[in-house]
Amino acid sequence: MWAPMAGLSPRLALPAFAGATRLCLWRSGAAAAAAARWKGVPARSRRSLSGFPPKLAPREGLRDLPPGVPRSRLESKRYVLSPSLAETVARLLLRDDGCDLILEINPGPGILTRALLQSGARVIALESDKAFIPHLESLGKELGGKLHVLHTDFFKLDPRSFGVIKPVVNSKLLFQELGIETLSWSNGIPLKVVGIFPTKNEKKMIWKVLHDIYSCTSIYRYGRVQLNLFFNELESQRMMANPQNPNLYYALSVLWQVAYDVKLLHVEPWSSFDISSQSVQQEKPQSKESSEQQVQQNLCLIQLTPHKDLFSQQLTSVNYDVFFHMTKQCFLKRHGKLIDHLTSLSPIDAMDILKEMDQDKNIKIIDMYPSDFKCLFETIECSKDHTFKWLYDDFMEDVII
Amino acid sequence: MSALRWGRGAAGLGWALWPVGRPGLRAEEGTLGGLRGCRRRSSASPCEQDRRRDWGHAELLEVLEARVRQLQTNSVSEVRAKLVDVARLPKADGSQSPRKVEAGNEGAALGFTSHWAQKLHKEKLVMQRRKQKLEETLQKENRKHQLRVEPQLLNRELADWLQRWEHGSPRSPWEEQLAQLLQEAPKQLSRSEEHGHTGRISKVRYEAQQQRLLSFLECCLLVDQLPLAHHVLVKHHSKLRQQRALTLPMYNTLLLGWARKGSFRELLYVFFMMKDAGLAPDLLSYAAALQCMGRLNQEASAIQRFLKQMAQDGLQLQELFTNLPLCKEDKAVLLRAVRKAEPTFLPPQPPLSSSKVNSSPLLKEIYSTDKPATYPKQHLPLETLKDLFQQQLSVEMATVVTVESVETAPSLTKEVLQARKTLQELRTRWEEELCLALQQTKDREAQAARKGRPSLFPYLCLLSEGELTQLMLQALQVLPQQGESLLSLAQELGMRIFNRHVVQRKQLSDEVQALQERYFKYLHLLASDTQVVMSRLPREHWEALGTSEASQDQPWPLALVVQLGKQLAEVLVQTVKMPSNLAQPQDTQKLIPVLYHVYSFQSFRQIGILKPHPAFVQLLETAAERTMTFEAAEVPMLCPPLPWTSPHSGAFLLSPTKLMRSLEGTIQHQRLLEGCPPAELHGALDALTQLGNCAWRVNGRVLDLVLTIFNAKGCPRLGVPSPASEAPRPSKQRLPANASPELKTELRRELARCLKVAREMHSLRTDALYRLSLAHHLRHHVFWLPHNMDFRGRTYPCPPHFNHLGSDLARALLEFAEGRPLGPHGLNWLKIHLVNLTGLKKRESLQARLAFADEIMNDILDSADQPMTGRRWWAEADEPWQALACCMEIARAVRAPSPAAYVSHFPVHQDGSCNGLQHYAALGRDSVGAASVNLMPSDVPQDVYSSVAAQVEVFRRQDAERGVQVAKVLEGFISRKVVKQTVMTVVYGVTRYGGRLQIEKRLRELSDFPQEFVWQASHYLVRQVFNSLQEMFSSTRAIQRWLTESARLIARSGLAVEWITPLGIPIIQPYHHDSKVSIGGGIQSLTFCSSGDTSQKPNTLKQKNGFPPNFIHSLDSSHMMLTALHCYRKGLTFVSVHDCFWTHAADVAIMNQVCREQFIRLHSQPILHDLSTFLVERYCSGPRSTNAQVVKLQEMLLSVPKTGTFDLDQVKHSTYFFS
């Protein structure tokens, strides 16, 4: 399952990991556990995770912290704080694929921003915390104006519920202002997004992103926007799961993989983002539980490139919610047989569908690859002689984002 | 190989012979949860199961033939004996048989014969005969001997004793044994200290199990399955762990059951078990034993000895007749037994419940006997009322009412007829299949019960299969197109079973006869042509006519209701099938399910939904059947309702109705009501009885007009919903092949929007259809709307679809059945009422409104004469249909020879102006506030919303001068309309958050308001509205804060907030943290949350936010009830919609006077101090009172807010207080 790693060219990967490890503060207890969990990862990429002596955290990362930002505020959020990680990310991002426009989410102290700019990218920084804005703006000036700073929360762009609570930024207006051009779906990548996926409301946010891409709205209106986001370890493992690691295989895995080409670019221990471990005076003893949780969490940089052929004659932005519903319902009973689920999904005879799909009648949900789900959906959509293809109904879905 | 097959075959035979359940299958279901279980079972169609049943036999033949082949190759000598062995096998337990068969067969394989053909033939014959015989005997045997009678006692000594008695010859007489048992009975319960270690949750679960078992036993008694109940009890008793869960009431239930049957042996067994469990017999146990003696006609000496024993245990003979909930027959037998021993014994007379008088000072006048009042009567003579009673009784006996739809009948095309025919055929088939499926379910449940599980079996026996089938088909009929959640469907089905069962039981006992006799006597009080000696309130009269028996029907626990309903829903899903193509002939086709079990994802929850196949929905639509079915309790009554006499007796004749409606599963209200002295509730009982005694009729002319519009595509502006076919349709244009995703998304949105609108329209339409059809059904009848109340005392009519509480349309359809001459001022009131309904002259005096009405008399008459074709003045009114009805009434009155003598049936309304704030202002004696809500006399009505808007404007100007930008932007935009909703809801606890949303909405509606400021402006405005209210209603806000804070502290101390209304109704807020109950197994495990579970901690947020509005509601309901009772005493017809009071035009002046007097009376009570005293008493006494938290609470409770200087008596002269 961790095959995507292999796709990373050694030329890029090696220096990247070397860079990361130089700075990595490693808590010894966690090392073994983490190594065990990453068994499937090729040794090359695991090097960043184990076998390094604990080092004191470098102070340089925090030098750039603007004076006005209260420390407590930092603690609830995560930022890329180590310059070398920033360098790695910048290098991973700015490969030669013709897109140097990068939208950075919540750059905070601007360490990654600096690295990106220095590597020659054009950067749009969307910062949700007002306190960082002046600092980022000065950074832009210092580095020659290829930075555009805006005070906006990326994850609140284009809310899907229409009961508007706060004034929000409309991506249409925003992109217009930024002069971002629309590329058609089959064309290249108009924009790369980089940032850390929020832990707060994580599930909600995931669903929002998925709805956005399948419905081709929000940022995806402008083409196949590539996401490069740090997710926590568990979530990223789930994202990439398939029948080979059934324990992590979920409805979301299917939806992610059908929509995107999911690649693991890099694994970085939590400590690289951890304010308290980066600063010397560690005053507040955190509750045992939370610090332990943090130790266990590596962050994984996942690259999500939308598939060119995501939309087909059958799966469109008009009926994608049926696909969502189908997948979710199937995974309600992951170990159940597909044939049993089909009776709750479609009034069409289950055997006919299976025959059409050329699948064994005993196939279980857990044995089906993401592409099989897409195939299933398309098979049912295709069936000609039925007026009612689905039992699904609009009211059965309630979008909460 | 062949041996194996033998084994399987024989096991199959055994299985086929098994009379009822199929244990193997059952076990399989147990492991299959959810989806898979469902589908598996659904695939087992009846015919397939028949095949399976025959499978054993078929297999057997197959095996025999295999042997033929075997014997052909070898020479067989002797098989017969072995085969006989095999044939006997099924007698053994199914699980054992394969092994034995193997052994037998091995032997068989050894011997060979040359005359194999003959022998085999003989064998076959023998086998068949034996098999038949076996089948017969086994069925008999199984039925009889499956159930255990002899208990297995855990106490060795006791067990020996039982053994000795059982086998001793000759047996000593049982009553001696009993006496001996009783003598040595443990004198106290020794069980209380158990399960102290278990946690709270497991304790709740444990209690639920106990409750479940008890109701299982009770239900077994009801359906005459006593041996089964005994069997389950014995099973539980024989295992130590399970025995601990058994309680005295469970044993007593069985004792009572055996006593009624007069079976002393089983009775004695139960006593043995009780003793074994270490439980001391209580009064009920003694009563049961005594009853058994009575039935067996025991000798006097035995009974005397028994009574002596009872006295030794400290139980009084009298108590047998007063303290126990026994039915009449039980009591009679009991008395016979006692009389035998003590011929002079007289059972004590039950005290008359009406002997105690309500002590509330507010009700003194109502219940004083000094000035006898003459209460109004119904306008109908005795014979008519008796007739009506018979009609209502037959309706309730039938349990459902079939009503004709008012929708235009479709032209009977071939298509329609065909659809109806298909539907009819399907239903006939389903009925049969459902009956069969139910029978199988029952068998399975019975099997489970035999294994000692308290299964659903007795509940399924309560109603016949036919009735259950009808229930299920009804549910199928009304299932909405988008489906219904399994949980609510299950709950509804379960409740219906319960209700029907209650009705049926009343029918079976002689209660109906007794009811009729009593009701006929009661009618003498109500009928227009009879007199009774004493003038009494209906409830008093009813109580004087006899004592009501305690209701024996405790509602079932919610978990049980849901489980039972779920079982039926499952049967429905699995059984009901239709051909995949309805157009083709049915026999040849594959069958597809009609119902699908699907999941819906809402937020992060999954909800199981039952959804009909779209083709079935279409079939129903095409068939457009003309009838609809309602439960009897959903339709208004055809005779005056039974007066309320207790928390669960009143209203409908047979259908059970609760005095206080509540969410299913909340029992604290009922418990509180039962716990309070009966006399304290008299105020509420009488008020509700009186509201229910108002006779209604349908306003036929309005109904006709509405129906015309309804059947001509409706008119949403007039509140007549259009059919869903009128819904906007998505644009038809086809998408170009290369449409952009954006366009597709837009299309998707549009589709969803259209679908949503269509669905909303459909549900509105259905709602209207129900209402209008019921109105049409009742068109030429007089009917009554029985009332009950919610947990704050607010009153509601029980029939849900057609009542006076609904929209403008619903109200316009109703008028009083009894008419009154308008009198000198009646016409004026009608005119004023009409102007009120238009909403045009809200700020003008009554005189001005009257003048306006005279001014537009032409329009009024035009509206009345040509409502549809004329100038349609009425259609522009705020409440068009009521306005139209009023126009017609005025037209008739002015054209009458003498308007004063014109008999009017029209209800005239008087509305409180912002009633919640009126109560607050009166509580706090706020002068400014009181003036703005019309507690003070004034020439023109005051409008609190305008006053608040003005105050906000003052604040805004100040801020604008100070240079606040928002304040400047808002110049000229602050109006009554912007603040109205927020002011109105502030009383009911709206928060700043909610208030801001309301204002935001209003601001968005203003077209010229700069929309980019909406967020800021709404933020600013809500703050100013709250400030203004603070300024104007300072004491009000203080009281609100005090109530909130008190509730917060009470809830924090772990208790729910309780109080008692000035009228004496006990109230408790049912807001707790959710408790989850799961019901596993079957097609889906259901989990329902109940916030009313008192074993959970109170939900502090809800308790605290809910207290102020709930308290104010309890006050306004008190005011309404007081007004109702006093109006009744003055002979008025009175009904209400919360703070809107209705009466005849002639009586408006009297009602207004009563309404003001009672408001003053109510608020002259030290309401807040009484509340404070009660709360301190309730929450700060006892051992807890030293706790720091409690001390803080006490401080808070004692600091009752100070009040202002408003003089309450001014209300008396305020014209616009209610207007």
Side-chain angles (χ1 to χ4, degrees), chain B residues 988-989 991 1044 1047 1069 1100-1110:
Chain B
Y988 304 120
T991 56
T1044 311
Q1069 297 197 128
T1100 309
L1101 188 73
K1102 273 190 171 179
Q1103 290 279 357
K1104 122 184 135 88
N1105 286 344
F1107 188 31
N1110 285 336

Side-chain angles (χ1 to χ4, degrees), chain B residues 504-565:
Chain B
Q504 222 169 55
R505 269 196 58 207
K506 284 184 187 162
Q507 280 179 49
L508 289 177
S509 63
D510 53 354
E511 261 177 75
V512 174
Q513 191 54 38
L515 177 79
Q516 175 162 348
E517 279 164 25
R518 193 167 175 186
Y519 192 84
F520 282 1
K521 279 191 219 155
Y522 165 70
L523 281 182
H524 285 266
L525 180 83
L526 297 183
S528 57
D529 57 348
T530 47
Q531 292 294 323
V532 288
V533 192
M534 260 174 73
S535 148
R536 281 192 285 225
L537 284 160
R539 175 192 50 83
E540 293 172 335
H541 192 60
W542 181 265
E543 281 172 349
L545 289 173
T547 52
S548 44
E549 273 188 43
S551 156
Q552 297 185 1
D553 299 295
Q554 287 299 313
W556 294 337
L558 190 55
L560 174 67
V561 171
V562 173
Q563 198 179 10
L564 187 57

Side-chain angles (χ1 to χ4, degrees), chain B residues 619-674:
Chain B
L619 180 67
L620 279 181
E621 247 166 47
T622 321
E625 287 173 309
R626 305 275 299 138
T627 54
M628 42 186 85
T629 313
F630 293 97
E631 293 285 295
E634 288 173 353
V635 181
M637 290 180 73
L638 298 174
C639 69
L642 296 184
W644 283 104
T645 49
S646 77
H648 34 65
S649 50
F652 287 97
L653 302 179
L654 301 175
S655 315
T657 321
K658 284 193 280 190
L659 177 69
M660 196 174 264
R661 50 175 72 194
S662 56
L663 277 179
E664 229 35 75
T666 40
I667 44 168
Q668 57 266 50
H669 306 305
Q670 220 60 21
R671 227 186 264 154
L672 216 54
L673 287 174
E674 274 159 18

Side-chain angles (χ1 to χ4, degrees), chain A residues 162 164-167 172 203-204 207 215-217 221 316-321 325 328-329 332-333 336-337 340-341 343-344 347 349 388 391-398 400, chain B residues 33-36 39-40 481-483 590 596-604 606 609 611 613-615 618 741-742 744-745 747-749 751-752 755 759 993 996 1000 1004 1015:
Chain A
F162 299 97
V164 179
I165 294 169
K166 270 183 192 160
K172 228 176 194 166
K203 274 270 140 57
K204 260 191 188 178
W207 280 111
S215 65
C216 236
T217 46
R221 199 183 281 130
T316 64
S317 54
V318 180
N319 63 9
Y320 77 91
D321 51 342
H325 183 266
K328 280 200 258 184
Q329 177 149 348
L332 274 187
K333 283 213 171 281
K337 283 183 195 167
D340 295 324
H341 282 288
T343 44
S344 287
D349 188 79
F388 308 106
L391 289 167
Y392 170 83
D393 202 311
D394 243 19
F395 120 110
M396 290 159 64
E397 201 78 23
D398 151 35
I400 21 86
Chain B
L35 284 167
R36 294 171 57 207
R39 293 307 155 198
R40 278 281 172 79
Q481 189 179 356
Q482 67 269 26
K590 200 157 61 173
Y596 290 88
H597 177 236
V598 296
Y599 282 94
S600 143
F601 299 89
Q602 303 199 337
S603 294
F604 290 111
Q606 298 120 26
I609 285 182
K611 198 170 180 312
H613 192 290
Q618 202 144 44
E742 215 171 347
K744 288 184 182 167
T745 311
L747 179 79
R748 211 182 86 76
R749 284 224 185 105
L751 271 171
L755 196 67
R759 200 161 281 157
Y993 177 82
R996 198 196 65 70
E1000 183 190 293
R1004 282 192 192 285
W1015 159 264

Side-chain angles (χ1 to χ4, degrees), chain A residues 84-373:
Chain A
S84 61
L85 173 63
E87 264 168 49
T88 315
V89 173
R91 223 169 300 158
L92 282 169
L93 237 63
L94 292 169
R95 275 180 295 164
D96 200 18
D97 58 359
C99 173
D100 64 345
L101 181 58
I102 295 201
L103 191 144
E104 194 187 354
I105 309 165
N106 295 341
I111 293 160
L112 177 59
T113 323
R114 181 184 290 268
L116 287 170
L117 287 171
Q118 280 167 348
S119 319
R122 288 182 293 147
V123 180
I124 300 161
L126 300 187
E127 175 55 60
S128 62
D129 195 334
K130 236 184 198 157
F132 287 115
I133 301 276
H135 165 73
L136 288 169
E137 275 168 352
S138 66
L139 187 74
K141 271 177 211 141
E142 180 192 327
L143 290 169
K146 275 162 100 186
L147 175 67
H148 199 121
V149 182
L150 276 169
H151 176 218
T152 294
D153 191 340
F154 175 80
F155 293 100
K156 285 185 182 157
L157 276 184
D158 307 317
R160 300 193 65 87
S161 60
F162 299 97
V164 179
I165 294 169
K166 270 183 192 160
V168 287
V169 177
N170 183 333
S171 68
K172 228 176 194 166
L173 297 175
L174 180 77
F175 278 38
Q176 206 171 18
E177 191 187 324
L178 297 172
I180 295 170
E181 282 170 38
T182 308
L183 287 183
S184 76
W185 195 259
S186 49
N187 275 356
I189 295 162
L191 179 71
K192 291 178 176 175
V193 176
V194 66
I196 298 169
F197 206 77
T199 43
K200 200 181 157 198
N201 288 336
E202 190 179 31
K203 274 270 140 57
K204 260 191 188 178
M205 288 306 153
I206 289 178
W207 280 111
K208 178 178 167 358
V209 171
L210 286 172
H211 272 288
D212 280 348
I213 181 166
Y214 277 92
S215 65
C216 236
T217 46
S218 195
I219 51 171
Y220 293 101
R221 199 183 281 130
Y222 300 91
R224 293 190 292 129
V225 174
Q226 185 190 63
L227 302 181
N228 298 275
L229 297 171
F230 282 100
F231 286 89
N232 73 45
E233 195 176 354
L234 182 65
E235 202 49 60
S236 38
Q237 281 173 331
R238 283 182 174 179
M239 265 166 119
M240 287 179 275
N242 59 27
Q244 286 167 24
N245 29 17
N247 291 339
L248 295 164
Y249 197 34
Y250 277 83
L252 281 174
S253 325
V254 172
L255 296 181
W256 278 123
Q257 291 172 52
V258 167
Y260 296 98
D261 180 18
V262 185
K263 259 188 207 165
L264 173 70
L265 293 187
H266 179 72
V267 181
E268 182 77 14
W270 159 260
S271 48
S272 302
F273 307 87
D274 188 1
I275 296 290
S276 49
S277 66
Q278 300 268 325
S279 59
V280 172
Q281 69 274 32
Q282 192 172 355
E283 287 146 21
K284 262 191 264 170
Q286 278 163 325
S287 72
K288 204 177 163 193
E289 197 186 346
S290 75
S291 66
E292 250 169 41
Q293 256 177 9
Q294 286 170 3
V295 168
Q296 284 169 9
Q297 274 180 359
N298 293 304
L299 290 193
C300 304
L301 181 61
I302 303 271
Q303 185 172 68
L304 298 160
T305 320
H307 282 304
K308 256 186 199 169
D309 56 353
L310 165 61
F311 298 109
S312 62
Q313 201 63 33
Q314 278 78 38
L315 177 63
T316 64
S317 54
V318 180
N319 63 9
Y320 77 91
D321 51 342
V322 185
F323 179 60
F324 275 29
H325 183 266
M326 181 194 90
T327 315
K328 280 200 258 184
Q329 177 149 348
C330 282
F331 275 92
L332 274 187
K333 283 213 171 281
R334 293 144 32 89
H335 295 281
K337 283 183 195 167
L338 175 62
I339 193 166
D340 295 324
H341 282 288
L342 281 176
T343 44
S344 287
L345 286 169
S346 166
I348 302 172
D349 188 79
M351 279 311 287
D352 293 352
I353 298 172
L354 287 179
K355 219 180 278 167
E356 189 72 26
M357 276 178 75
D358 206 12
Q359 283 284 10
D360 183 68
K361 72 175 170 30
N362 287 323
I363 191 167
K364 289 182 176 171
I365 294 302
I366 205 75
D367 296 331
M368 290 171 62
Y369 279 85
S371 56
D372 294 334
F373 283 96

Side-chain angles (χ1 to χ4, degrees), chain B residues 91-145:
Chain B
K91 230 182 215 169
D93 195 338
S95 64
Q96 288 178 357
S97 44
R99 195 161 25 89
K100 285 198 180 174
V101 174
E102 264 173 58
N105 203 41
E106 265 164 38
L110 290 176
F112 306 113
T113 175
S114 51
H115 309 291
W116 55 268
Q118 278 177 4
K119 289 214 165 190
L120 206 64
H121 182 65
K122 259 190 199 165
E123 279 170 20
K124 261 190 189 172
L125 284 179
V126 171
M127 284 282 273
Q128 265 168 9
R129 238 177 293 142
R130 274 174 189 274
K131 193 186 151 198
Q132 271 172 4
K133 240 188 190 170
L134 264 172
E135 215 159 338
E136 281 166 18
T137 46
L138 265 176
Q139 263 172 6
K140 266 189 221 156
E141 294 271 303
N142 264 319
R143 287 257 157 77
K144 262 188 202 162
H145 288 293

